[in-house]
Amino acid sequence: MSSPVRDAVRRQLTAMAAEDDRLMRQVHALPGATHRRQHLDDACAQHAAELRHLVHEHGWPTAALVGGEAAVAALKILLHAPMADRDFVLSCCDLIQAAVTEGACDTVYGAYAHDLAAILQGRPQRYGTQFVPRLLRPCPIEDPGGVEAQRATVGLPPLSRELAAHQRRRLLIS
């Protein structure tokens, strides 16, 4: 990927993630705002379509390829992709896992990809990264007693700290 293309992809990914964050804050600030929720859903679908195009053209956007901020943005976009994009999301999870194996992606990305794929396939997650948004609790975990050890192996903070952070964010935007 040439430097100008890399810069364009970096800008596109970070702009999409920023819009995602802004819309998410708006939706949570006004829980009854159905039209804002629809706007967020539409934006997430559009971002997933743009990510699909980028992945098709360049592969999974790793930090080495597009920089750390844009790589995080790509993961965020993937995590918010609509359920209708399940096959695309699962293929990206496979790409992320391959990149982790090759050392091109951080193990934390692999944990998120593993859990997202598990939830989409109706299985319990391993690392506790996926949450039921309205309930502020993790989706089912395959080994609740061992989740903290699993999280530690990939560099994730304790689940209790993650839950507290989710609650603080909820309080800040409500």
Side-chain angles (χ1 to χ4, degrees):
M1 178 185 300
S2 69
S3 186
V5 171
R6 180 175 304 132
D7 291 342
V9 168
R10 181 180 299 130
R11 283 191 304 274
Q12 183 179 7
L13 288 169
T14 55
M16 287 188 299
E19 181 182 17
D20 215 41
D21 288 343
R22 181 183 62 77
L23 292 171
M24 193 74 71
R25 283 191 303 275
Q26 283 181 347
V27 166
H28 289 297
L30 298 170
T34 304
H35 68 286
R36 288 185 188 207
R37 180 72 201 169
Q38 185 59 50
H39 188 63
L40 173 64
D41 292 346
D42 293 346
C44 287
Q46 177 62 35
H47 295 159
E50 292 177 38
L51 181 62
R52 179 184 291 107
H53 174 73
L54 292 173
V55 169
H56 177 73
E57 291 292 315
H58 309 290
W60 181 255
T62 62
L65 191 63
V66 296
E69 184 181 2
V72 169
L75 182 61
K76 246 189 217 185
I77 292 162
L78 184 68
L79 292 170
H80 295 156
M83 294 304 262
D85 285 335
R86 181 180 180 274
D87 291 341
F88 167 67
V89 172
L90 290 172
S91 71
C92 286
C93 289
D94 290 344
L95 291 173
I96 292 169
Q97 293 297 357
V100 169
T101 300
E102 295 166 5
C105 240
D106 191 275
T107 55
V108 169
Y109 289 74
Y112 275 92
H114 178 278
D115 283 358
L116 180 58
I119 296 304
L120 287 174
Q121 295 169 337
R123 298 181 288 116
Q125 61 180 325
R126 179 174 297 154
Y127 303 98
T129 63
Q130 303 301 300
F131 282 76
V132 179
R134 297 213 185 271
L135 301 178
L136 282 180
R137 70 173 187 221
C139 294
I141 297 172
E142 65 185 18
D143 178 14
V147 71
E148 296 300 354
Q150 289 289 345
R151 290 174 68 86
T153 64
V154 296
L156 286 167
L159 187 55
S160 59
R161 192 177 331 155
E162 187 110 0
L163 286 167
H166 277 282
Q167 290 172 343
R168 278 193 306 279
R169 280 193 296 276
R170 170 73 57 87
L171 290 173
L172 288 175
I173 57 179
S174 59

